[in-house]
Amino acid sequence: MKIGIVGLGLIGGSLAKAYKNAGAEVIGMDKNSLVTQFAQMAEAIDEPMTDDNMNECDCIFIAIPPVPAVEWMETNAPKLDSKAIVIDCCGTKRYVCEAGFRLADEHGFTYVGGHPMAGLQFGGFKHSRYDLFEDAPFAVVIHDAGDITLLEKIKKIIKAAGFGKIIPCTAEKHDRIIAFTSQMAHVVSNAFIKSSTALEDGVSISAGSYRDFTRVAYLDADMWTELFMENRDNLKFEIDTLISELKKYSEALENQDADRMRELLIEGRERKVEVEKRCSS
């Protein structure tokens, strides 16, 4: 198997290392040529990806944000032949999938929207790991959801990097769900840490929940801003919903209404139980 990687940051670098660890031949490129050179020196890639060798790949992963991902496809689509499979790894899907499917139809290659559901609070090749995706889910958006042959082919390629469950979905459903499960966590953590209490000496009086909750406040502002703006309708809905729910807790405190507070807490606990049952079924 020969794999191409566009973008050798945390995700692209980890993909390169995972496929190398699985015995695949890997070629890659990064906008920073020094990163490409370092990845080759670190034996994460066998050689740089060029116009001459990209069509030798069984699959090309585009591991850069949506706008540059679309720009890369627009530039390179005419160079790809019919056997090429291109999978993006962007955190939102509607914008990049619309362009990817259109370009694939125009130029005859195969495009699949993808999202590896794993990461760290730190970015860059230096933090990449061969085992980052071990048993992690991978969401895929296929133009023809009934194309079982393509889905099985994609599953085989993706699982070689260590991924666990492959989750087919539409671009619309992906972006709606990811606004709640991922983007909201980053927004809330980033806002939560702005409390003046966080700067007090006594903040060390905390348990694991504080560390877990604030972990993703350390984020790449440029990348997440682009993803938030791409998915602004879904993310705004989730933020507004949370604000509405938090007001209920605030009002219970203001009114010294212990019964209402208990009711709210029980509602949240019961919703968590319901969610866990659905996830395990």
Side-chain angles (χ1 to χ4, degrees):
M1 183 186 300
K2 188 166 185 175
I3 300 294
I5 311 286
V6 179
L8 294 168
L10 174 66
I11 298 301
S14 295
L15 284 169
K17 291 177 179 180
Y19 279 108
K20 283 289 290 180
N21 187 62
E25 182 180 356
V26 180
I27 60 176
M29 61 179 295
D30 192 271
K31 65 179 181 180
N32 185 337
S33 61
L34 291 177
V35 173
T36 305
Q37 293 173 28
F38 184 77
Q40 187 172 5
M41 287 170 43
E43 299 184 344
I45 63 173
D46 293 289
E47 62 179 336
M49 187 167 75
T50 66
D51 290 352
D52 295 328
N53 63 16
M54 69 169 62
N55 274 325
E56 299 171 5
C57 296
D58 294 291
C59 185
I60 297 174
F61 288 93
I62 306 177
I64 52 181
V67 171
V70 170
E71 291 173 350
W72 188 91
M73 285 192 289
E74 289 175 339
T75 299
N76 291 280
K79 307 170 189 174
L80 299 173
D81 63 30
S82 58
K83 71 179 180 64
I85 297 176
V86 176
I87 304 177
D88 82 90
C89 298
C90 298
T92 56
K93 297 267 66 82
R94 286 175 294 176
Y95 169 72
V96 70
C97 283
E98 187 279 327
F101 290 136
R102 172 177 53 80
L103 290 166
D105 287 342
E106 292 173 0
H107 297 278
F109 64 92
T110 299
Y111 165 78
V112 174
H115 188 182
M117 308 302 295
L120 300 171
Q121 66 266 42
F122 304 109
F125 180 82
K126 65 180 179 179
H127 295 292
S128 61
R129 298 173 4 198
Y130 78 93
D131 61 348
L132 182 65
F133 308 115
E134 197 65 36
D135 292 325
F138 193 105
V140 294
V141 180
I142 296 177
H143 198 0
D144 178 2
D147 191 341
I148 303 301
T149 301
L150 175 59
L151 181 59
E152 289 302 316
K153 189 173 185 179
I154 296 304
K155 281 184 177 181
K156 184 177 180 180
I157 292 172
I158 291 172
K159 283 183 174 289
F163 287 97
K165 188 176 182 180
I166 310 302
I167 307 172
C169 61
T170 64
E172 291 73 20
K173 181 175 182 179
H174 172 278
D175 286 1
R176 186 173 68 254
I177 299 299
I178 212 69
F180 175 69
T181 60
S182 175
Q183 294 184 341
M184 270 293 285
H186 288 78
V187 168
V188 174
S189 178
N190 195 264
F192 171 80
I193 199 66
K194 294 176 184 177
S195 169
S196 59
T197 309
L199 299 176
E200 293 187 14
D201 294 337
V203 78
S204 58
I205 305 172
S206 61
S209 56
Y210 172 75
R211 292 190 298 274
D212 292 342
F213 194 60
T214 57
R215 179 180 64 83
V216 293
Y218 190 95
L219 45 69
D220 182 332
D222 291 335
M223 181 189 77
W224 283 101
T225 295
E226 180 177 337
L227 293 174
F228 291 166
M229 292 299 104
E230 289 288 347
N231 204 24
R232 57 190 176 276
D233 54 342
N234 290 314
L235 183 54
K236 185 178 184 303
F237 170 80
E238 296 298 343
I239 291 173
D240 290 347
T241 298
L242 178 61
I243 290 172
S244 176
E245 289 299 316
L246 287 175
K247 284 182 178 178
K248 297 176 184 177
Y249 294 82
S250 179
E251 289 168 357
L253 293 171
E254 183 177 358
N255 298 329
Q256 301 183 52
D257 190 340
D259 289 338
R260 176 57 172 156
M261 179 61 75
R262 187 177 299 105
E263 179 183 296
L264 291 168
L265 294 174
I266 291 172
E267 285 178 359
R269 185 182 66 197
E270 290 178 345
R271 175 59 63 88
K272 174 63 174 175
V273 171
E274 180 184 357
V275 169
E276 290 300 315
K277 284 182 179 178
R278 292 194 177 196
C279 289
S280 62
S281 62

